[in-house]
């Protein structure tokens, strides 16, 4: 029987590994920059005295604060032009399909605000791990992970990780990821986020 260690990889396999390694390096660099920008953002919000409660909507039929309105408008402006038009359009003149697109677009904005609120909450109210008396076990590791997690639940943590997928895709050069493929992947991520956000 041939030992696997004596086998050399093919040229095609080597190319797959190289492509993966290059993308993995880019993702790691991107995530490092993302963490840095997130820290700067949270530092600024805390310095201004903004609390998670201030980032909550007033509710249906109620007037939102100027702060909430400005943040909402900012996230709307970061959406593609078609989604911006859907959000600001008149739902009374929309078809059923257009209304569904508008609802999905609004959910994307709401998800970003929720993510921002949870990040700020995690910054101001860091979770405390249990004292273990020096013992190290699996529960200690779990507590450490929870302490570094800015989300209130594992589901919210997963949603946060999935939502960064679009940004990571945009960092991939067009020569490696076609526009059609990018659009398809972004839609899949959007659909997944919508399903995750619908879980109560």
């Amino acid at each position: 029987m041939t030992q696997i260690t004596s086998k050399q990889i093919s040229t095609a396999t080597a190319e797959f590994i190289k492509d993966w390694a290059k993308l993995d390096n880019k993702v790691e660099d991107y995530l490092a920059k993302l963490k840095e920008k997130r820290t700067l953002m949270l530092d600024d919000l805390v310095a201004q005295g903004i609390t998670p409660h201030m980032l909550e909507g007033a509710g249906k039929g109620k007037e939102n604060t100027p702060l909430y309105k400005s943040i909402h408008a900012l996230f709307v402006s970061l959406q593609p032009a078609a989604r911006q038009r859907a959000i600001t359009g008149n739902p009374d003149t929309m078809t059923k399909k257009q209304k569904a697109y508008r609802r999905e677009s609004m959910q994307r904005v709401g998800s970003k605000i929720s993510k921002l609120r949870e990040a700020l909450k995690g910054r101001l109210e860091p979770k405390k791990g249990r004292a273990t008396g020096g013992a190290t076990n699996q529960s200690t590791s779990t507590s450490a992970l929870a302490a570094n997690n800015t989300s209130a639940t594992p589901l919210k943590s997963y949603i946060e990780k999935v939502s960064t997928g679009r940004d990571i895709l945009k960092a991939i050069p067009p020569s490696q990821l076609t526009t059609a493929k990018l659009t398809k992947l972004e839609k899949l991520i959007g659909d997944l986020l919508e399903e995750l956000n619908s879980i109560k």
Side-chain angles (χ1 to χ4, degrees):
M1 182 176 177
T2 304
Q3 292 290 324
I4 193 71
T5 53
S6 66
K7 182 178 179 180
Q8 293 186 347
I9 60 173
S10 66
T11 303
T13 301
E15 286 302 313
F16 286 138
I17 293 173
K18 281 165 60 178
D19 288 344
W20 167 79
K22 287 177 183 176
L23 287 175
D24 189 57
N25 287 340
K26 288 180 181 178
V27 168
E28 287 179 354
D29 290 342
Y30 187 86
L31 289 176
K33 290 177 183 176
L34 185 66
K35 184 178 180 181
E36 179 185 354
K37 295 295 184 184
R38 180 179 180 276
T39 300
L40 291 171
M41 173 190 72
L42 293 176
D43 284 347
D44 186 68
L45 290 171
V46 171
Q48 293 186 57
I50 296 174
T51 65
H53 179 69
M54 294 177 185
L55 303 179
E56 294 177 0
K60 191 173 182 180
K62 297 180 180 178
E63 183 75 12
N64 286 314
T65 64
L67 173 66
Y68 185 88
K69 286 180 181 178
S70 64
I71 290 176
H72 185 275
L74 174 63
F75 281 122
V76 170
S77 72
L78 296 174
Q79 294 293 311
R83 292 196 180 277
Q84 291 183 43
R85 289 193 296 271
I87 292 171
T88 57
N90 182 1
D92 295 335
T93 61
M94 294 181 179
T95 64
K96 187 176 181 181
K97 185 176 181 180
Q98 289 172 328
K99 286 180 180 178
Y101 184 71
R102 180 176 186 270
R103 183 169 56 252
E104 180 193 338
S105 300
M106 293 175 72
Q107 286 174 343
R108 289 186 180 210
V109 171
S111 176
K112 287 289 185 186
I113 295 174
S114 176
K115 184 177 178 182
L116 175 60
R117 185 172 60 246
E118 290 299 326
L120 183 57
K121 183 178 179 181
R123 173 63 176 275
L124 294 172
E125 304 169 14
K127 292 180 172 62
K128 296 178 181 177
R130 282 188 311 177
T132 58
T136 56
N137 54 29
Q138 188 174 358
S139 64
T140 306
S141 301
T142 304
S143 297
L145 287 171
N148 291 326
N149 186 351
T150 59
S151 298
T153 66
L155 175 60
K156 287 184 178 179
S157 174
Y158 182 59
I159 290 173
E160 286 183 9
K161 289 174 183 175
V162 171
S163 66
T164 63
R166 288 194 201 92
D167 297 326
I168 291 171
L169 289 174
K170 289 176 183 174
I172 300 174
S175 60
Q176 296 177 338
L177 185 63
T178 64
T179 303
K181 191 72 173 177
L182 174 63
T183 303
K184 182 178 180 182
L185 291 171
E186 284 181 332
K187 184 180 184 308
L188 288 171
I189 291 172
D191 291 342
L192 176 57
L193 284 172
E194 187 175 356
E195 289 299 322
L196 291 171
N197 282 316
S198 69
I199 299 173
K200 301 298 183 183

